[in-house]
């Protein structure tokens, strides 16, 4: 028994000795390695650690491209160079700023201001000191990099804006402010905004920001104490890199070539133009003037430029296509005419005598033709734009009956374009006046609203949509700009379909046909007010309007009137008269010439003519391409 115990004791002691030897060996190895690194090679690794660091470089995402309906690029991107300041690596801020000031001829105070905007941020995050460096400035900075630790030039893709693209429609990019940054980042997860990022403002850039923006990536690089990139000596291990995900692309309903023509035709005017497809509600072109330069907004707006733009009485930042409200003038008369026909107040043969004025009680309402039009029926009243005829009709209908038909066309309410500020316009009723003005509606209020004056207000988008509904027999479509959204690998992530808001079922097909026919005479009749909108080889229907801004005497010479008090010149049209493909509204604000027939109708005519020219050109190209493909196939 004792012998067995001694054997077990020896076995335990042997195991303990071996375990102790293993522990001592491991500890000794670790101590030796520690001595080797800290003592023997300490100076070497201390030098390496001082000379080399790892830096994270953000990789900006390419913003989504915006295409027109035919695949032409409307808004693309190009590389821009930014000067950035990384606090973690700057050794002497004051000296650095002085050197930069001498090199770039920019005051130190400008850099100080930019630096203050990034106060409180982690020191490893870059702060933009100057955007959009020139090639010369980039070369200058790179040549003096040894004196500028913590200063870098970074490349970022930004918008390549072109003059023919309307800024109100596409919007612009601007550096994100702190309030917006915090607000947006509360809703975002792994793709937050950073100070200095650009964010969409106004128009498509703002409305579709979440799709266009993309997702940034990053890469790690090894740099020396001066921030210069060095080679990684360990070839078996590479720094990780996460690629940026480009933003999604927008395919619009806009026709780029037609858009250019609209811009050219409206050159020198203030106001807005809207071009729609009356079959779907697709917006083919739109312009709001005066505008602004989105490139200036992207690069940074000076206080002087900001004051100049905001003090302009014609409001360059306002998108007047949906946010500008104007009295529609005589383009409203077809609504009153349709109501009168449906309510049996008149028929196409009904006549009124126009002596040049209309008397109601002790008030006199004048026609634009002081000499009068004589005996007038509905056709002549619209062709010559006789006010007296519609004074009679409007009084017999009454304000509430007129309003019922106007609202059936979607007037007096927002269309839901969802782009920029959209105003509802105004279709007055007796109840509205009592509520707003605390006075009852009187018969004396009705004549003016019967010719689109008085309290009536419409946006250019509503005007175009009204005439689109007249053209298609009562279908009121919601105007829209974006057809589809595709991601960076070409997959369609969203597709927009035409959306019908309502159908004007209180107006008969017969009345719609009558209105189209008479509106065609407005353009084709030698005495028609819209004859300057005629297009060779195509039928056009339309109506002129001249909306007074203040109560000037009719037919007064506009030459001695201040620009801001001049009449708005308006023309709305569609083409062809039957089965229309295009509807146009032109609103020339405070026009120097005056009169929808003289100032606005020629513009609409040019736009419609260009539409048909482009259609013929594309048709010819398609036929030629088909023939070429057939010839190539035959050779094979």
């Amino acid at each position: 028994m004792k012998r067995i115990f001694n054997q077990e004791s020896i076995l335990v002691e042997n195991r303990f000795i071996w375990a102790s030897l293993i522990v001592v060996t491991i500890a000794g190895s670790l101590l030796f390695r520690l001595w080797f690194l800290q003592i023997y090679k300490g100076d070497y690794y201390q030098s390496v650690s001082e000379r080399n660091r790892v830096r994270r470089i953000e990789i900006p995402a390419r913003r989504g491209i915006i295409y027109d309906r035919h695949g032409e690029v409307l808004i693309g991107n190009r590389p821009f160079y930014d000067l950035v300041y990384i606090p973690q690596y700057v050794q002497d801020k004051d000296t650095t700023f002085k050197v930069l000031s001498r090199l770039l001829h920019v005051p130190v105070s400008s850099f100080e201001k930019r630096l203050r905007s990034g106060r409180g941020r982690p020191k490893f995050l870059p702060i933009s000191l100057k955007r959009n460096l020139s090639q010369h400035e980039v070369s200058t900075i790179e040549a003096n990099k040894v004196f500028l630790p913590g200063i870098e030039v970074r490349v970022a893709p930004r918008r390549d804006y072109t003059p023919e693209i309307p800024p109100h429609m596409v919007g612009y990019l601007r550096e994100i402010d702190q309030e917006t940054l915090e607000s947006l980042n509360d809703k975002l997860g792994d793709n937050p905004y950073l100070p200095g990022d650009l964010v969409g403002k106004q128009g498509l850039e703002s409305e579709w920001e979440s799709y266009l923006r993309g997702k940034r990536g990053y890469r790690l690089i090894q740099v020396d104490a001066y921030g210069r990139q060095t080679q990684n000596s360990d070839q078996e291990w590479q720094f990780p890199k996460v690629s940026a995900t480009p933003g999604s692309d927008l395919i619009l309903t806009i026709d780029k070539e037609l858009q250019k023509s609209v811009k050219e035709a409206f050159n020198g005017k203030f106001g807005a133009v809207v071009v729609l497809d009356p079959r779907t509600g697709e917006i083919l072109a739109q312009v709001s003037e005066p505008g602004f330069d989105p490139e200036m907004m992207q690069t940074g707006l000076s206080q002087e430029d900001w004051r100049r733009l905001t003090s302009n009485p014609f409001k360059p930042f306002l998108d007047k296509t949906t946010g500008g409200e104007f009295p529609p003038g005589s383009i409203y008369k077809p609504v009153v005419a349709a109501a009168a026909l449906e309510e049996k107040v008149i028929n196409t043969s009904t006549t009124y005598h126009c002596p040049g004025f209309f008397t109601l009680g002790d008030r006199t309402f004048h026609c634009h033709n002081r000499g009068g039009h004589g005996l007038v029926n509905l056709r002549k009243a619209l062709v010559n734009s006789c006010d007296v005829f519609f004074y009679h009709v409007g009084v017999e209908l009454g304000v509430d009956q007129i309003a019922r038909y106007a609202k059936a066309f979607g007037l007096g309410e927002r269309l839901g374009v969802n782009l920029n500020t959209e105003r509802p316009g105004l279709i007055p009723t007796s109840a509205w006046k009592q509520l707003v003005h605390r006075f009852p509606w009187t018969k004396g209020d009705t004549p003016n609203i019967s010719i689109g004056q008085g309290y009536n207000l419409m946006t250019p988008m509503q005007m175009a949509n009204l005439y689109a509904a007249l053209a298609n027999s009562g279908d009121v479509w919601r105007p829209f700009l974006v057809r589809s959204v595709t991601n960076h690998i070409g997959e369609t992530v969203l597709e927009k379909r035409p959306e019908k808001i309502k159908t004007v079922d209180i107006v008969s097909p017969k009345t719609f046909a009558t209105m189209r026919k008479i509106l065609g005479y407005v353009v084709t009749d030698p005495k028609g007010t819209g004859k300057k909108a005629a297009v060779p080889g195509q039928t056009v229907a339309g109506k002129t309007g001249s909306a007074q801004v203040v109560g000037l005497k009719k037919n007064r010479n506009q030459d001695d009137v201040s620009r801001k008090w001049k009449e708005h010149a308006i023309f709305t049209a569609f083409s062809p008269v039957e089965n229309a493909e295009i509807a146009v509204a032109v609103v020339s604000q405070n026009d120097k010439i005056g009169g929808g027939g003289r100032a606005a109708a020629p513009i609409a005519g040019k736009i419609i003519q260009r539409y048909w020219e482009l259609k013929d050109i594309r048709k010819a190209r398609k036929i030629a391409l088909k023939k070429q493909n057939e010839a190539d196939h035959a050779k094979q």
Side-chain angles (χ1 to χ4, degrees):
M1 188 72 179
K2 184 176 180 181
R3 185 176 179 179
I4 294 173
F5 176 78
N6 289 336
Q7 288 178 345
E8 290 179 349
S9 177
I10 292 170
L11 181 61
V12 169
E13 288 176 1
N14 288 339
R15 288 177 178 175
F16 178 77
I17 291 170
W18 281 107
S20 298
L21 286 173
I22 291 171
V23 170
V24 169
T25 302
I26 292 172
S29 299
L30 292 174
L31 288 172
F32 176 79
R33 183 63 178 168
L34 184 63
W35 170 83
F36 179 80
L37 294 174
Q38 294 288 336
I39 307 300
Y40 185 77
K41 300 287 287 185
D43 292 340
Y44 168 77
Y45 283 112
Q46 182 178 356
S47 174
V48 170
S49 67
E50 288 175 352
R51 288 186 291 107
N52 299 300
R53 307 177 186 187
V54 173
R55 181 172 298 176
R56 173 174 167 145
I57 303 297
E58 299 290 340
I59 304 174
R62 174 187 66 78
R63 198 166 178 86
I65 298 172
I66 301 177
Y67 296 93
D68 85 335
R69 66 192 295 117
H70 300 294
E72 297 289 328
V73 175
L74 279 175
I75 300 293
N77 302 300
R78 62 185 175 91
F80 286 78
Y81 299 93
D82 295 343
L83 182 72
V84 300
Y85 173 102
I86 305 175
Q88 179 178 348
Y89 303 115
V90 174
Q91 297 174 354
D92 187 333
K93 174 179 71 69
D94 294 336
T95 301
T96 299
F97 282 176
K98 287 177 181 177
V99 173
L100 286 174
S101 179
R102 286 195 297 270
L103 294 176
L104 301 178
H105 307 291
V106 175
V108 171
S109 59
S110 175
F111 299 134
E112 294 281 5
K113 183 179 179 181
R114 300 287 296 182
L115 191 61
R116 285 195 297 271
S117 68
R119 188 175 296 166
R121 298 171 53 194
K123 291 186 178 298
F124 62 84
L125 289 179
I127 298 171
S128 175
L129 294 181
K130 190 175 188 296
R131 292 190 183 278
N132 302 343
L133 298 177
S134 66
Q135 288 291 342
H136 174 72
E137 289 173 327
V138 171
S139 301
T140 302
I141 294 297
E142 293 296 338
N144 292 273
K145 193 70 178 291
V146 67
F147 306 112
L148 299 168
I151 298 297
E152 289 186 356
V153 174
R154 293 194 174 178
V155 183
R158 296 216 185 93
R159 285 306 196 204
D160 187 14
Y161 293 111
T162 53
E164 68 269 14
I165 304 304
H168 303 93
M169 181 182 74
V170 298
Y172 58 91
L173 300 180
R174 196 168 186 182
E175 186 172 329
I176 193 168
D177 57 70
Q178 189 63 30
E179 182 180 350
T180 305
L181 184 145
E182 293 174 358
S183 173
L184 291 176
N185 281 352
D186 286 342
K187 307 170 188 175
L188 298 174
D190 60 346
N191 190 29
Y193 287 88
L194 298 177
D197 280 355
L198 296 177
V199 66
K201 297 285 187 180
Q202 198 174 30
L204 294 168
E205 297 280 26
S206 175
E207 186 66 25
W208 296 86
E209 167 72 13
S210 60
Y211 288 95
L212 291 167
R213 181 188 174 213
K215 184 177 180 180
R216 69 161 52 83
Y218 69 87
R219 61 189 175 94
L220 301 179
I221 63 170
Q222 184 172 277
V223 298
D224 61 20
Y226 296 106
R228 296 173 300 194
Q229 185 173 358
T230 59
Q231 294 296 322
N232 181 12
S233 59
D234 188 353
Q235 298 299 324
E236 296 181 359
W237 184 82
Q238 296 295 325
F239 290 112
K241 175 182 178 181
V242 176
S243 299
T245 303
S248 297
D249 300 331
L250 302 185
I251 293 84
L252 304 187
T253 61
I254 292 293
D255 183 325
K256 183 178 181 180
E257 291 302 317
L258 184 63
Q259 179 69 53
K260 288 181 181 178
S261 299
V262 171
K263 178 86 171 174
E264 291 170 3
F266 201 62
N267 185 43
K269 305 284 188 182
F270 294 158
V273 179
V274 175
V275 185
L276 299 177
D277 185 336
R279 301 166 296 183
T280 60
E282 291 179 312
I283 300 172
L284 303 178
Q286 65 176 59
V287 168
S288 177
E289 293 291 350
F292 56 89
D293 182 4
E295 180 67 29
M296 184 168 59
M297 307 299 293
Q298 179 175 240
T299 56
L301 198 64
S302 68
Q303 290 184 352
E304 182 182 349
D305 290 331
W306 176 257
R307 282 194 298 269
R308 177 176 55 81
L309 288 168
T310 54
S311 63
N312 188 323
F314 290 96
K315 301 180 180 179
F317 286 122
L318 175 64
D319 182 2
K320 293 172 185 171
T321 62
T322 57
E325 294 177 304
F326 304 90
S330 294
I331 71 157
Y332 190 65
K333 288 175 180 175
V335 176
V336 179
L341 289 171
E342 292 297 329
E343 297 300 319
K344 311 302 182 187
V345 170
I346 63 169
N347 57 44
T348 55
S349 301
T350 301
T351 59
Y352 292 100
H353 179 66
C354 171
F357 62 89
F358 172 76
T359 302
L360 184 64
D362 60 351
R363 295 184 63 184
T364 299
F365 300 86
H366 292 280
C367 184
H368 74 90
N369 181 0
R370 288 298 184 92
H373 293 98
L375 203 60
V376 181
N377 61 12
L378 179 58
R379 171 177 167 171
K380 187 175 180 181
L382 285 170
V383 168
N384 299 141
S385 201
C386 176
D387 295 330
V388 170
F389 182 93
F390 285 95
Y391 291 150
H392 282 284
V393 171
V395 170
E396 290 191 48
L397 274 171
V399 61
D400 291 329
Q401 199 69 275
I402 295 172
R404 186 168 78 92
Y405 280 84
K407 291 182 178 181
F409 281 94
L411 303 180
E413 60 188 55
R414 293 177 179 87
L415 291 169
V417 179
N418 294 330
L419 186 66
N420 295 312
T421 299
E422 184 177 5
R423 304 295 298 170
L426 176 61
I427 300 299
T429 62
S430 55
W432 168 84
K433 186 182 178 186
Q434 184 68 52
L435 178 66
V436 174
H437 294 283
R438 306 295 182 184
F439 288 105
W441 190 273
T442 66
K443 266 194 173 183
D445 294 322
T446 306
N448 275 335
I449 64 112
S450 303
I451 62 168
Q453 295 281 174
Y455 298 114
N456 286 317
L457 292 173
M458 290 171 62
T459 67
M461 189 69 71
Q462 289 174 326
M463 295 177 190
N465 220 38
L466 167 62
Y467 275 68
L470 288 171
N472 65 36
S473 295
D475 289 336
V476 181
W477 296 96
R478 191 182 309 284
F480 67 103
L481 264 174
V482 177
R483 271 186 166 181
S484 62
V485 181
T486 58
N487 63 18
H488 65 288
I489 58 175
E491 296 175 338
T492 299
V493 296
L494 185 147
E495 193 167 5
K496 299 271 283 185
R497 298 289 185 183
E499 179 186 354
K500 189 185 294 185
I501 301 173
K502 60 175 69 176
T503 298
V504 187
D505 52 12
I506 61 174
V507 178
S508 67
K510 180 181 178 181
T511 297
F512 276 117
T514 298
M515 297 312 303
R516 287 194 295 271
K517 186 176 181 180
I518 295 176
L519 291 172
Y521 292 141
V522 172
V523 178
T524 59
D525 193 297
K527 294 183 179 179
T529 57
K531 60 187 177 184
K532 291 187 177 181
V535 175
Q538 292 293 339
T539 60
V540 179
K543 185 69 190 77
T544 56
S546 299
Q548 287 187 317
V549 178
V550 292
L552 299 174
K553 292 181 179 180
K554 285 189 179 286
N555 293 335
R556 172 177 171 174
N557 186 345
Q558 295 279 314
D559 293 338
D560 62 345
V561 177
S562 171
R563 174 72 186 267
K564 65 180 180 180
W565 303 127
K566 289 182 182 290
E567 293 178 344
H568 303 319
I570 305 171
F571 188 75
T572 44
F574 52 87
S575 177
V577 174
E578 297 297 333
N579 303 313
E581 298 181 19
I582 179 175
V584 182
V586 178
V587 181
S588 182
Q589 184 181 8
N590 306 117
D591 194 273
K592 296 177 182 179
I593 300 173
R598 289 194 298 162
I603 295 172
K606 290 178 182 178
I607 294 169
I608 294 171
Q609 182 173 357
R610 183 57 176 162
Y611 171 83
W612 291 113
E613 288 174 352
L614 288 170
K615 185 174 182 180
D616 289 342
I617 290 170
R618 287 169 181 142
K619 184 178 180 180
R621 286 176 183 168
K622 190 174 181 180
I623 292 172
L625 181 61
K626 183 180 179 180
K627 288 181 177 179
Q628 182 64 47
N629 290 337
E630 289 173 350
D632 292 343
H633 183 71
K635 289 179 182 179
Q636 294 175 357

